[in-house]
Amino acid sequence: MWRTFDSTTLRALRHSSFLFSSSSSSLTTICCSSSFTTLATIVTHPHSQSFTPTSRVSFTHSRHFAAPAPRCISSHPTLDWNDAVSCSEVDAESRDDGTVDQDTKPCIPVRAFFFSTSVDLKSLVEQNKPNFVPPSSRMTNYIVLKFGDICHLKGSGSFLSGSNGCYMVVFQYGSIVLFNVAEHEVDDYLKIVKKHASGLLPEMRKDEYEVREKPSLSTWMQGGLDYIMLQYLNIDGIRTIGSVLGQSIALDYYGRQVDGMVAEFTDINREMEATGKFKMQRKKLFQLVGKANSNLADVILKLGLFERSDIAWKDAKYAQIWEYLRDEFELTQRFASLDFKLKFVEHNIRFLQEILQNRKSDFLEWLIIALIGAEILLSLYDIVQRSGMKF
């Protein structure tokens, strides 16, 4: 009989099959990776002839039980089992003949960058026409460039993972998302875009993600910790994933900009609390007003944070990816936090504007008083002078 296995360990047994050697009297040991503990050992009866070299035992996962169910495929209808003792570790990714499961594909690294506030997409396309991927939707705020010896990913017929090709999604508002680009090659691809970028930032923002391809996945997509697993990644998937990551890294930059303004107004309020005086110049305040308004406009208009992807509108599969990633990167919550901070900044701006306006009003009032006083003095002088002439 089978012993009860730990459910955490048994996850390594999924999608694995194990071939027994032709010797019926041998002790067959199933091995897994070094991180797993000893599981079970299958001992065949030394005199049994019901287990042949073509016999195979595979483990299939049951969604109703914590442990996988053993399944034997043999040329004979019956199989004699002796005591199941313990076994060594099981490699979930390989068979005992040393070959890798063809369903297992290398991970696709996804890297997002934000180093400028604007990119001239037209000139970028002009200089990279051989690499330009024609758009599949009406969205005009980004382009896709492909590099390397890879075919156009239209469906499940070709896979990006394991290839030497890569894709680059460039957005007009300054974000760049790289797919399947090695770490040491990132700077070379970024230089292609920097030639057409304006408003370069002193510090580049960066974020990383991961895409995994698994053709046998029971559902179209499956999320995980810092990765998303798909049956296959095609060009529409690249556009959808790139759009969310591009918005996320740009929103991070604008969030930090607003945090800086909040910190500046906090210092002003503390100084006013300590001294009772307001020393900010009118020009500086107007600069903060313009900065706050431009940040809000960029987030809403340039990023298109509330505009649904055209690809997601057309296909429910990509709508699922789009919605999952927006929730994963908390775009709605982060914008709500940004909007709250901007309202705080707006409140402070109105308050400080009133102070400056009162200052101006006080100045004008004193100026009027001075003019009236001067007029009175002139009138008195005129009266005195006329009186002297009479005498």
Side-chain angles (χ1 to χ4, degrees):
M1 69 177 59
W2 293 90
R3 293 184 179 180
T4 303
F5 303 141
D6 179 28
S7 61
T8 304
T9 306
L10 288 171
R11 281 196 292 266
L13 296 173
R14 297 179 185 175
H15 311 296
S16 301
S17 61
F18 310 94
L19 299 177
F20 286 90
S21 63
S22 59
S23 175
S24 300
S25 60
S26 62
L27 180 65
T28 307
T29 306
I30 306 173
C31 299
C32 64
S33 60
S34 59
S35 63
F36 294 100
T37 57
T38 301
L39 297 183
T41 300
I42 303 170
V43 183
T44 59
H45 195 280
H47 303 292
S48 174
Q49 301 299 324
S50 60
F51 199 89
T52 66
T54 59
S55 300
R56 179 167 59 90
V57 175
S58 65
F59 291 86
T60 59
H61 179 72
S62 173
R63 67 180 65 182
H64 302 293
F65 300 96
R71 178 166 55 90
C72 178
I73 304 173
S74 174
S75 58
H76 293 270
T78 59
L79 175 66
D80 284 341
W81 295 96
N82 269 349
D83 294 336
V85 209
S86 99
C87 115
S88 63
E89 308 168 326
V90 178
D91 188 354
E93 301 296 334
S94 63
R95 296 189 175 91
D96 55 355
D97 59 357
T99 61
V100 179
D101 188 353
Q102 62 180 356
D103 190 41
T104 303
K105 297 185 178 297
C107 299
I108 302 172
V110 184
R111 296 180 171 90
F113 301 89
F114 188 82
F115 60 79
S116 69
T117 56
S118 180
V119 176
D120 187 354
L121 299 182
K122 186 176 181 180
S123 63
L124 180 61
V125 171
E126 286 294 329
Q127 292 190 9
N128 297 272
K129 283 185 177 180
N131 307 106
F132 177 64
V133 179
S136 59
S137 66
R138 296 173 297 174
M139 298 294 288
T140 58
N141 69 331
Y142 72 92
I143 62 170
V144 180
L145 302 176
K146 67 175 181 177
F147 302 89
D149 187 17
I150 53 176
C151 59
H152 191 63
L153 302 179
K154 293 183 178 179
S156 58
S158 57
F159 296 94
L160 183 60
S161 55
S163 70
N164 61 351
C166 65
Y167 280 81
M168 179 166 63
V169 186
V170 185
F171 294 88
Q172 189 176 14
Y173 52 79
S175 291
I176 302 170
V177 184
L178 301 176
F179 288 80
N180 205 36
V181 176
E183 182 70 28
H184 65 277
E185 298 176 341
V186 168
D187 289 339
D188 295 333
Y189 288 98
L190 294 182
K191 288 178 181 178
I192 298 175
V193 183
K194 282 185 178 179
K195 300 176 183 178
H196 310 274
S198 59
L200 295 176
L201 307 177
E203 181 182 1
M204 180 174 64
R205 310 300 309 167
K206 178 182 177 181
D207 196 8
E208 294 186 353
Y209 200 59
E210 193 175 275
V211 178
R212 301 177 184 178
E213 290 179 309
K214 188 174 182 181
S216 64
L217 195 64
S218 59
T219 59
W220 159 241
M221 60 146 288
Q222 179 180 324
L225 182 61
D226 290 334
Y227 76 89
I228 184 172
M229 184 178 292
L230 306 174
Q231 291 178 348
Y232 59 86
L233 178 65
N234 60 7
I235 189 64
D236 285 339
I238 288 174
R239 295 179 190 274
T240 304
I241 296 173
S243 66
V244 178
L245 265 67
Q247 290 176 342
S248 176
I249 193 68
L251 189 60
D252 180 63
Y253 163 75
Y254 288 113
R256 291 179 180 272
Q257 289 288 103
V258 175
D259 287 342
M261 287 189 289
V262 171
E264 191 167 356
F265 278 110
T266 301
D267 293 338
I268 292 172
N269 291 329
R270 287 176 178 172
E271 184 180 356
M272 290 174 61
E273 180 184 5
T275 63
K277 296 180 180 180
F278 174 60
K279 301 179 180 180
M280 177 179 283
Q281 298 295 324
R282 191 179 187 87
K283 181 180 178 181
K284 177 65 175 177
L285 181 61
F286 284 162
Q287 288 176 339
L288 289 175
V289 172
K291 188 175 182 180
N293 292 336
S294 63
N295 282 335
L296 183 60
D298 287 344
V299 170
I300 296 177
L301 300 178
K302 283 189 177 182
L303 301 190
L305 205 59
F306 299 103
E307 297 178 7
R308 192 180 183 90
S309 170
D310 285 354
I311 299 173
W313 276 113
K314 295 177 183 178
D315 196 323
K317 294 190 300 183
Y318 301 105
Q320 186 180 2
I321 296 176
W322 185 78
E323 291 172 356
Y324 170 77
L325 290 177
R326 282 180 62 88
D327 183 64
E328 176 75 8
F329 287 93
E330 300 179 341
L331 294 188
T332 304
Q333 294 89 331
R334 288 162 61 189
F335 175 78
S337 175
L338 180 69
D339 185 54
F340 176 79
K341 293 174 183 177
L342 283 173
K343 287 180 179 178
F344 170 79
V345 171
E346 182 183 359
H347 173 75
N348 280 268
I349 288 174
R350 288 180 179 176
F351 172 70
L352 297 179
Q353 279 181 330
E354 289 179 0
I355 294 178
L356 291 177
Q357 187 65 32
N358 290 336
R359 280 184 179 179
K360 187 176 180 179
S361 299
D362 292 342
F363 172 76
L364 292 175
E365 288 176 359
W366 282 108
L367 180 61
I368 292 172
I369 292 173
L371 291 174
I372 294 174
E375 185 179 0
I376 293 173
L377 290 176
L378 289 174
S379 299
L380 290 174
Y381 175 77
D382 185 58
I383 293 172
V384 171
Q385 190 177 16
R386 289 179 181 180
S387 300
M389 291 177 64
K390 291 179 179 180
F391 292 108

